[in-house]
Amino acid sequence: CDETYNYWEAAYLVSGGKNGFQTWEYAPMYALRSWSFVLPYGLFAKAMGMIGTRAFALCLPSAFAEAALVTACTKKFDAFWTTLVLLVSSPGLFISSASLLPSSVALTLACAQHASWLQGNWRISIWFAVLAVLWPGW
């Protein structure tokens, strides 16, 4: 809970929010977290607002990645069992996709990576895998 809101607070601060404050994890004295993960979301929030950031920068890419994964799995495996397995696991994907967390971004990129791999797009698959490791700041 605290971790989720600390990422939103930093994004709000970057977007130029009047009441935003710097949490202690980002303070130069401690520097526990990198601004590289929050900066793109803060800049997006400056243009679209915080709700727009959640909808267009977090939920929409996750929905496209999950749809690509379902499509790739149904083409590669039996459509009935694939749909059943993915529907059973989809509530967790739905809940985590709207969170501004490095693990949620890695989840979305992993879905896109697996979809690309199942479709035989090896270069795109490797690109998503590298991006999933490097961008969230791990």
Side-chain angles (χ1 to χ4, degrees):
C1 172
D2 185 43
E3 182 177 295
T4 302
Y5 295 118
N6 281 344
Y7 284 107
W8 280 112
E9 185 64 43
Y12 184 70
L13 180 67
V14 170
S15 73
K18 295 178 183 177
N19 298 326
F21 63 92
Q22 183 179 21
T23 58
W24 68 274
E25 293 98 338
Y26 293 99
M29 183 176 169
Y30 301 106
L32 295 177
R33 292 189 181 154
S34 170
W35 287 95
S36 65
F37 175 70
V38 178
L39 187 63
Y41 293 106
L43 296 176
F44 195 84
K46 186 179 267 190
M48 297 290 295
M50 297 306 280
I51 300 297
T53 300
R54 177 170 246 172
F56 294 110
L58 293 171
C59 296
L60 200 61
S62 179
F64 284 137
E66 290 174 38
L69 182 61
V70 169
T71 303
C73 285
T74 54
K75 288 180 181 177
K76 188 86 169 173
F77 308 111
D78 182 42
F80 173 75
W81 291 108
T82 299
T83 305
L84 183 66
V85 167
L86 290 175
L87 284 176
V88 168
S89 66
S90 67
L93 293 174
F94 175 75
I95 291 170
S96 67
S97 68
S99 300
L100 183 58
L101 294 170
S103 57
S104 297
V105 173
L107 170 80
T108 300
L109 291 170
C111 283
Q113 185 270 328
H114 281 78
S116 300
W117 178 67
L118 287 171
Q119 293 171 349
N121 298 330
W122 312 117
R123 289 185 182 185
I124 295 172
S125 176
I126 292 171
W127 186 81
F128 277 126
V130 169
L131 192 61
V133 171
L134 295 180
W135 182 35
W138 291 340

